[in-house]
């Protein structure tokens, strides 16, 4: 179905925009520099991440879990519940509390955004798969050949983490999630109010 491909492409395009808004300030500053080389292994691994992680996690969180929670508690609580579980499952407990809290916040907002995308796309998971997989795969490529990020890069931009920084936990990432959640809520407000 062409609509499913369009949903996936729109989600992936949103991931490109979000990752670019993180990477552009890094490139050409003291916070990092562009390398621009990707090995075949890194590229294949990124494709697996885009399709595999995006598909598997969206099937679990925005597919199965959200439906179960919706059947028991209603749509609004299901959106919040799946986002909370999604964020808790993904945080690393080896970080200081405030850094862990910032990643938890960014992931929670991503979980909400992904559920809003599903609602906007008439309950299709393909837009969610495109966005989620794109974020994971593109950030992986950026960190494994495209870019060298300095250890001095500010946490508000690249997010917390020691070896694997997560930009969703930075102030920029959290702000972007809030902005896009707000935009999607405006688009589907009538759908949520009718449940």
């Amino acid at each position: 179905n062409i609509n499913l491909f369009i949903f996936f492409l729109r989600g992936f395009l949103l991931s490109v925009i979000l990752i670019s808004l993180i990477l552009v300030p890094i490139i050409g500053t003291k916070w990092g520099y562009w390398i621009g080389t990707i090995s075949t292994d890194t590229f294949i691994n990124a494709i697996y991440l885009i399709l595999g992680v995006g598909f598997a996690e969206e099937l679990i969180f925005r597919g199965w879990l959200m439906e179960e929670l919706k059947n028991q508690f209603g749509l609004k609580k299901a959106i919040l519940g799946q986002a909370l579980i999604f964020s808790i499952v993904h945080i690393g407990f080896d970080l200081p509390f405030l850094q862990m809290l910032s990643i938890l916040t960014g992931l929670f907002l991503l979980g909400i955004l992904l559920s809003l995308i599903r609602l906007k796309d008439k309950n299709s998971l393909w837009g969610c798969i495109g966005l989620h997989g794109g974020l994971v795969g593109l950030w992986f490529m950026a960190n494994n050949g495209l870019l060298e990020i300095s250890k001095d890069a500010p946490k508000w931009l690249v997010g917390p983490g020691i070896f694997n920084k997560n930009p969703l936990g930075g102030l920029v990432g959290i702000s972007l999630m809030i902005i896009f959640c707000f935009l999607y809520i405006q688009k589907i407000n009538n759908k949520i109010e009718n449940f």
Side-chain angles (χ1 to χ4, degrees), residues 12-78:
F12 187 76
L13 181 60
L14 181 55
S15 74
V16 170
I17 292 167
L18 292 170
I19 293 293
S20 296
L21 290 170
I22 300 292
L23 294 181
V24 167
I26 294 171
I27 299 170
T29 67
K30 61 182 179 179
W31 301 327
Y33 60 93
W34 182 256
I35 300 170
T37 58
I38 293 286
S39 71
T40 304
D41 289 344
T42 298
F43 184 75
I44 291 170
N45 199 356
I47 297 298
Y48 283 139
L49 287 170
I50 290 168
L51 298 175
V53 170
F55 184 80
E57 290 193 3
E58 289 313 306
L59 193 61
I60 292 168
F61 291 102
R62 261 59 62 189
W64 170 78
L65 181 61
M66 190 165 144
E67 283 302 308
E68 289 294 322
L69 293 173
K70 184 174 96 176
N71 290 337
Q72 295 207 3
F73 305 107
L75 182 60
K76 289 179 184 178
K77 289 180 182 174

Side-chain angles (χ1 to χ4, degrees), residues 118-190:
R118 178 184 171 202
L119 293 175
K120 182 187 169 293
D121 290 348
K122 302 173 187 165
N123 283 326
S124 171
L125 291 173
W126 286 103
C128 304
I129 293 166
L131 173 58
H132 189 165
L135 289 174
V136 173
L138 294 172
W139 189 248
F140 174 79
M141 282 198 304
N143 282 290
N144 289 282
L146 289 181
L147 194 65
E148 180 67 35
I149 299 174
S150 168
K151 292 177 182 163
D152 298 328
K155 287 185 181 0
W156 57 263
L157 179 60
V158 297
I162 299 166
F163 300 108
N164 295 317
K165 299 198 180 297
N166 189 334
L168 286 174
L171 184 60
V172 172
I174 290 171
S175 299
L176 289 171
M177 290 297 107
I178 290 170
I179 290 166
F180 279 95
C181 282
F182 178 77
L183 292 174
Y184 273 87
I185 286 172
Q186 296 304 309
K187 289 180 182 182
I188 63 166
N189 199 21
N190 291 336

